[in-house]
Amino acid sequence: MSGPARQVVVVTGASSGIGRGAALAFAARGVSVVLAARSEQALAEVARECEERGGRALAVPTDVSDEAAVQALAQRAADWSGRIDIWVNAAAVWSYGRFEDTPGPVFRQIVETTLLGQVYAARAVLPHFRAEGHGVLINISSLYGRLSSPYVAPYVTAKWGLLGFSEVLRQELRDTPGIAVCTILPGAVDTPIYRHAANYTGRQIRPLPPVTSPERVVAAVLRAADHPQRQIVVGQTHRIGAWVHRFIPALYDRLIGPVVDVCALRSVPAPPHDGTVFDPASPTHTVDDGWRRHDHRLVAKALTLAVGAAALTTATRAVNRRRGQSATSSAASVATHTRAVRRKGNAANR
């Protein structure tokens, strides 16, 4: 891999959130950054900030759900810089609402952006990596690639698919050890994606606490670029949730619905809307969105609810066990009595 100052990095989803933070962090190293997102105005702002931090920047407005546009992005980056060293797939859109309430076109667009956009990127950049003999593809997945919760069916579908896709790429690229595929799995992150999300719940939404800072995810992206790893999980509390989901699925299913209803759905009414799923226009294109300021109250609520539900589950199981034992004991008594009656009857017959 060439030195950091000579590297060329492509970042999709660079207009806000993790993508914007990663672009600025790479630029601070003096690298050349190619910025891709749908909003031309937001990209121009990010490009200016990247150059102020010492990097070179090229803004290429791109809708990653359009495969031809992603191919053009890769070619434009290679023509501008001569090569591509690192590609960060951070583009994603989001919705909140029951599956039955989520319009079909919204579901499709979320999967096409959040999953197929990263698939198209891999198809576009891998020939460049192979030509150079090296490269790092960084897919921003989510712990929603390992677990689930109500109201986010299209996003969970996309992230579970992305995790499997990344696995396959790693297996197929074993013949080119200079090419690495890294997957970043953050929990809830303090970015504007929740403000941008489509919403069909009837209530305003917020990320499920505790919320991770985008800077931690950006640090994981830089670490993957410098020292590629198969997977990097960001957020210890959410890692516990993934463990419960895997090993105690019945308890997870009992807890997750009430926790989401209390901690992710706000009491403020909200009309149904498509957010930025189709239209990138938004007043908020920052890296973070200030959600962490209110986390302490919601974390306390979530913990109280989780402990209460866990205690209820434990008590229910104990009652069921006692009932089962009682039923078994009663059945045994009846069987003993029946055998005694039969023995008396047999003796009388003799």
Side-chain angles (χ1 to χ4, degrees):
M1 184 72 65
S2 54
R6 299 186 61 244
Q7 287 179 343
V8 179
V9 182
V10 177
V11 181
T12 69
S15 59
S16 67
I18 295 167
R20 185 169 188 150
L24 296 175
F26 278 116
R29 294 179 162 193
V31 308
S32 297
V33 185
V34 181
L35 309 167
R38 293 175 297 170
S39 173
E40 184 173 0
Q41 179 180 353
L43 284 184
E45 295 173 0
V46 181
R48 183 171 59 253
E49 292 180 17
C50 285
E51 291 172 350
E52 289 172 353
R53 284 165 170 76
R56 285 201 315 153
L58 173 68
V60 184
T62 306
D63 182 346
V64 298
S65 68
D66 179 344
E67 184 169 11
V70 179
Q71 288 284 345
L73 166 65
Q75 192 58 54
R76 181 85 182 276
D79 291 343
W80 178 65
S81 58
R83 68 178 189 281
I84 302 171
D85 296 302
I86 301 165
W87 188 295
V88 181
N89 276 322
V93 288
W94 179 288
S95 72
Y96 245 80
R98 294 193 317 159
F99 165 71
E100 296 164 272
D101 298 331
T102 303
V106 171
F107 193 109
R108 185 179 305 110
Q109 186 63 36
I110 290 171
V111 172
E112 288 181 350
T113 300
T114 309
L115 172 58
L116 293 183
Q118 304 204 34
V119 172
Y120 299 153
R123 191 180 298 280
V125 75
L126 285 179
H128 296 276
F129 285 173
R130 286 192 180 276
E132 293 292 326
H134 70 262
V136 181
L137 177 63
I138 302 174
N139 291 329
I140 306 298
S141 183
S142 167
L143 277 177
Y144 272 137
R146 289 186 178 175
L147 47 76
S148 60
S149 74
Y151 313 129
V152 288
Y155 193 80
V156 168
T157 299
K159 293 303 186 180
W160 279 58
L162 180 58
L163 216 57
F165 174 67
S166 301
E167 292 279 351
V168 171
L169 285 186
R170 276 189 285 271
Q171 293 160 3
E172 294 183 353
L173 289 167
R174 290 176 64 85
D175 64 327
T176 312
I179 301 177
V181 178
C182 307
T183 313
I184 311 295
L185 290 85
V189 185
D190 184 5
T191 72
I193 193 171
Y194 303 93
R195 193 180 302 275
H196 296 172
N199 186 356
Y200 310 102
T201 65
R203 296 160 61 183
Q204 288 186 7
I205 63 169
R206 56 147 291 144
L208 192 64
V211 183
T212 301
S213 74
E215 289 77 17
R216 290 185 61 191
V217 186
V218 169
V221 171
L222 296 179
R223 189 161 70 251
D226 294 339
H227 306 287
Q229 300 177 47
R230 179 174 170 272
Q231 291 184 359
I232 301 175
V233 176
V234 183
Q236 294 302 316
T237 303
H238 294 89
R239 188 195 296 263
I240 295 171
W243 185 93
V244 174
H245 180 273
R246 180 178 180 183
F247 293 106
I248 321 176
L251 178 60
Y252 182 89
D253 287 347
R254 182 181 290 272
L255 294 178
I256 190 61
V259 167
V260 170
D261 287 341
V262 170
C263 299
L265 300 183
R266 306 172 71 186
S267 59
V268 183
H273 61 82
D274 297 341
T276 62
V277 171
F278 301 107
D279 183 357
S282 170
T284 308
H285 285 289
T286 55
V287 174
D288 64 62
D289 207 20
W291 296 110
R292 286 170 294 160
R293 288 195 295 269
H294 310 291
D295 260 8
H296 60 285
R297 294 191 299 272
L298 286 169
V299 169
K301 284 184 180 180
L303 288 174
T304 300
L305 185 60
V307 169
L312 178 61
T313 299
T314 302
T316 301
R317 287 178 176 173
V319 169
N320 289 338
R321 280 197 300 270
R322 285 197 296 271
R323 286 176 177 171
Q325 291 167 356
S326 176
T328 301
S329 177
S330 297
S333 298
V334 170
T336 300
H337 177 72
T338 302
R339 285 195 297 270
V341 170
R342 284 176 178 170
R343 282 196 297 269
K344 289 180 180 178
N346 291 336
N349 291 333
R350 289 198 296 270

